[in-house]
């Protein structure tokens, strides 16, 4: 007698920077749209403001591609204009004046993105409040720099962990980084806060990367997803390459 065992694999659908191809990246409208589409997780990028608030943004230096100055946070602010300044050098009040809802004309994503003028840079806490009722996971990438001292990286990691714990989303979150110090400084309490079937966020807690969870996550039932629609766009020419984002050393688009 032969018994056939079927292995079931689940592919997670992530909303990269929310719904980057459709709405402004790393914004509340973008995340809301990704959730409406039925993603399993939303991926986002965060930085730390000068006054210690975790805010969203892919670039450590405010990019003119995704952000536009609207005015100073207070009359005569010597730091204005803010575009081109480092996130870590500006306060939340200063960052809030920027319009994150209109991409620079001529950029590749501006062709497919629907502009949402007047959209501010959100905080991680605001994103947590939006995502919490949905049951979706969070994939939070911490943007750091090799030149930063260890103490600054540790402060950043602690601030992110505090927001996720405070929102009750630690068990549905994972921390991402290209800086090993972020993983090394993830609080020891993080692993204990996660549900048994959640994916650990640090190498120590994760163990072998080839070891799958014992059982599928029971957090939520599968959501119906809209069928894929054939693309109506013309195929790119053979010589087409992915445009390199400003400040990125390679055309990774991460």
């Amino acid at each position: 007698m032969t018994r056939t065992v079927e292995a079931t694999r689940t592919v997670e659908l992530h909303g990269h920077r929310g719904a980057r191809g459709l709405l402004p990246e790393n914004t509340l409208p973008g995340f809301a749209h990704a959730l409406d589409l039925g993603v399993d997780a939303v991926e986002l990028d965060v930085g730390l403001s000068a006054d210690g608030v975790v805010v969203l943004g892919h670039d450590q230096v405010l990019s003119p591609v995704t952000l536009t100055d609207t005015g100073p946070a207070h009359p005569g602010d010597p730091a204005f204009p803010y575009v081109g300044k480092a996130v870590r050098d500006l306060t939340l009040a200063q960052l809030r004046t920027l319009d994150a809802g209109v991409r620079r004309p001529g950029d590749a994503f501006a062709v497919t993105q629907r502009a949402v003028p007047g959209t501010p840079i959100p905080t991680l806490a605001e994103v947590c409040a939006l995502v919490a009722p949905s049951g979706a996971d969070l994939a939070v990438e911490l943007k750091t720099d090799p030149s930063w001292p260890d103490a600054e990286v540790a402060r950043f990691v602690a601030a992110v962990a505090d927001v996720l714990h405070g929102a009750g989303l630690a068990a549905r979150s994972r921390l991402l980084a290209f800086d090993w110090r972020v993983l090394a400084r993830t609080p020891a309490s993080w692993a204990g806060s996660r549900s048994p079937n959640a994916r650990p966020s640090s190498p120590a807690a994760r163990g072998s990367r080839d070891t799958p969870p014992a059982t599928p996550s029971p957090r939520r039932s599968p959501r119906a997803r809209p069928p894929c629609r054939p693309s109506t766009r013309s195929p790119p020419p053979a010589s087409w390459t992915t445009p390199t984002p400003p400040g990125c050393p390679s055309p990774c688009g991460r």
Side-chain angles (χ1 to χ4, degrees):
M1 178 177 178
T2 302
R3 185 177 66 173
T4 301
V5 178
E6 293 186 1
T8 302
R9 292 180 178 271
T10 300
V11 176
E12 278 193 340
L13 298 183
H14 283 227
H16 182 229
R17 306 187 203 174
R20 187 189 185 198
L22 303 174
L23 287 164
E25 65 181 60
N26 284 316
T27 64
L28 295 181
F31 294 125
H33 190 65
L35 294 174
D36 287 343
L37 292 176
V39 298
D40 298 302
V42 291
E43 185 271 349
L44 51 93
D45 310 287
V46 295
L48 194 65
S49 70
D51 47 352
V53 180
V54 183
V55 295
L56 268 67
H58 178 268
D59 303 302
Q60 295 177 27
V61 173
L62 300 175
S63 171
V65 175
T66 57
L67 299 167
T68 306
D69 276 303
T70 64
H74 55 82
D77 185 357
F80 186 78
Y82 307 130
V83 171
K85 304 287 196 314
V87 173
R88 63 203 286 247
D89 292 335
L90 298 172
T91 65
L92 178 62
Q94 292 170 320
L95 294 169
R96 287 289 207 188
T97 66
L98 293 157
D99 188 342
V102 181
R103 201 169 182 95
R104 183 169 63 187
D107 178 79
F109 282 100
V111 177
T112 59
Q113 275 190 8
R114 175 170 61 83
V116 187
T119 301
I121 292 176
T123 65
L124 179 58
E126 290 171 336
V127 176
C128 287
L130 174 69
V131 174
S134 72
D137 289 346
L138 284 172
V140 184
E141 182 175 337
L142 285 73
K143 295 297 185 180
T144 61
D145 189 275
S147 66
W148 292 4
D150 290 353
E152 187 166 352
V153 174
R155 175 173 170 260
F156 185 15
V157 174
V160 172
D162 284 348
V163 173
L164 296 174
H165 277 295
L169 292 180
R172 285 164 46 192
S173 303
R174 69 204 76 173
L175 304 187
L176 315 176
F178 286 80
D179 187 338
W180 281 104
R181 296 177 298 172
V182 169
L183 302 180
R185 284 159 180 77
T186 298
S189 61
W190 186 269
S193 70
R194 299 178 64 82
S195 64
N197 296 308
R199 288 162 293 276
S201 59
S202 67
R206 186 165 57 236
S208 171
R209 72 169 63 220
D210 297 324
T211 303
T215 58
S217 172
R219 288 193 297 274
R220 61 187 184 278
S221 59
R223 281 173 283 176
R225 299 188 179 103
C228 294
R229 295 187 298 272
S231 175
T232 57
R233 301 177 64 183
S234 302
S239 60
W240 184 88
T241 57
T242 303
T244 302
C248 184
S250 64
C252 57
R254 63 176 176 83

